[in-house]
Amino acid sequence: MLVHTVYFWLKPELTAAQRADFRKGVESLGGIKAVQQLFVGTPAKTVKRPIIDDSYSVALTVVVKDVAGHDAYQIDPIHLAFVERFKTFWSKVQIYDAE
Amino acid sequence: MLVHTVYFWLKPELTAAQRADFRKGVESLGGIKAVQQLFVGTPAKTVKRPIIDDSYSVALTVVVKDVAGHDAYQIDPIHLAFVERFKTFWSKVQIYDAE
C-alpha cells in the first residue's frame, strides 16, 4: 500500500468559485483507476499545537497499491488534466509518498 | 472523515532494534477504537522531485470519523502509552489534520 499525500497552498487572490472548482478538481482524481481510496480535506478544527501545520489550503490523501500504481496515477489523463487546469492555482505544493 | 497524518523524524543514533520497536509501536495505534483506518510507511521509491519531502523516517496516516474521534484517539491509553514510550525517539514530528 502506498499513501501519496499532497498539501496545496492556494493563491490568496483566488475567488470562492475558483476554490470550489479546485476542490471539485481534486475530488475528480478519485476517478483514476489506480486509486483505491481518496480523501480530500481542509485544516480540521483540532486543538492547535505548534507541531500541527494548518497553513495549507487543501489536503489530498491518495491510496494506491504500490509504486507502479502511483506511476499510473501520475500519467492518468484525469491527473494530467487536473494539473493542466489548476497548476496556476497554487503557490506551493508539498508531497509525501509513504509505502 | 478526518485524516490525521503524522511524519516522524527519528534520531539518527537509534539502533535497528529501536527502529523496529518504534514501527511496531506506530502499528499498535491501529488498535485504538476511534481508528477506522491506519497506514504506516517509510519514504516510497517514487521518482524524486523537489516538491516531494522524503526526509522523514516514518509516516502515519490515521482515518477517524471527525474531531471527536480525533480527540478520543489522542487520549486513548494506547496512544498515551505510545507517546510515553517513544517520545524520546524522534527529533521532529509534523502533523496535518484534514477534514
Side-chain angles (χ1 to χ4, degrees):
Chain A
M1 207 69 77
L2 189 152
V3 181
H4 171 72
T5 308
V6 187
Y7 300 100
F8 298 96
W9 284 260
L10 297 178
K11 293 178 180 170
E13 65 265 30
L14 291 189
T15 64
Q18 285 175 313
R19 288 169 191 273
D21 272 355
F22 179 76
R23 171 82 184 221
K24 276 186 208 161
V26 176
E27 287 169 354
S28 77
L29 299 170
I32 295 174
K33 199 178 163 189
V35 173
Q36 296 185 347
Q37 289 190 79
L38 181 135
F39 303 97
V40 183
T42 53
K45 301 207 179 307
T46 48
V47 175
K48 285 184 180 292
R49 292 185 285 162
I51 53 175
I52 297 180
D53 184 349
D54 62 354
S55 67
Y56 65 92
S57 309
V58 174
L60 164 67
T61 303
V62 181
V63 180
V64 294
K65 188 181 173 198
D66 51 19
V67 172
H70 166 273
D71 293 350
Y73 166 87
Q74 287 292 341
I75 61 165
D76 189 282
I78 296 175
H79 184 254
L80 297 177
F82 167 78
V83 174
E84 187 56 32
R85 177 159 176 211
F86 294 108
K87 66 186 175 189
T88 62
F89 278 42
W90 59 77
S91 54
K92 179 185 166 189
V93 63
Q94 179 75 58
I95 298 177
Y96 298 85
D97 289 328
E99 188 177 16
Chain B
M1 208 69 80
L2 190 153
V3 182
H4 173 71
T5 308
V6 187
Y7 300 100
F8 298 97
W9 282 260
L10 296 178
K11 293 178 180 169
E13 63 267 29
L14 291 189
T15 64
Q18 286 176 313
R19 288 169 189 275
D21 273 353
F22 179 77
R23 172 79 184 222
K24 275 186 208 161
V26 177
E27 287 169 354
S28 77
L29 300 170
I32 296 174
K33 200 178 163 190
V35 172
Q36 297 185 346
Q37 290 188 78
L38 183 134
F39 303 96
V40 183
T42 53
K45 301 207 177 309
T46 47
V47 175
K48 285 185 180 294
R49 292 184 285 161
I51 54 176
I52 298 180
D53 184 349
D54 62 355
S55 66
Y56 65 92
S57 309
V58 174
L60 163 66
T61 303
V62 180
V63 180
V64 293
K65 188 182 173 199
D66 51 20
V67 172
H70 166 273
D71 294 349
Y73 166 86
Q74 287 292 340
I75 60 166
D76 189 282
I78 297 175
H79 184 254
L80 296 177
F82 166 78
V83 173
E84 188 55 33
R85 176 159 178 210
F86 294 109
K87 64 187 178 190
T88 62
F89 279 41
W90 57 76
S91 55
K92 179 185 166 190
V93 63
Q94 178 75 58
I95 297 177
Y96 297 86
D97 289 328
E99 187 176 17

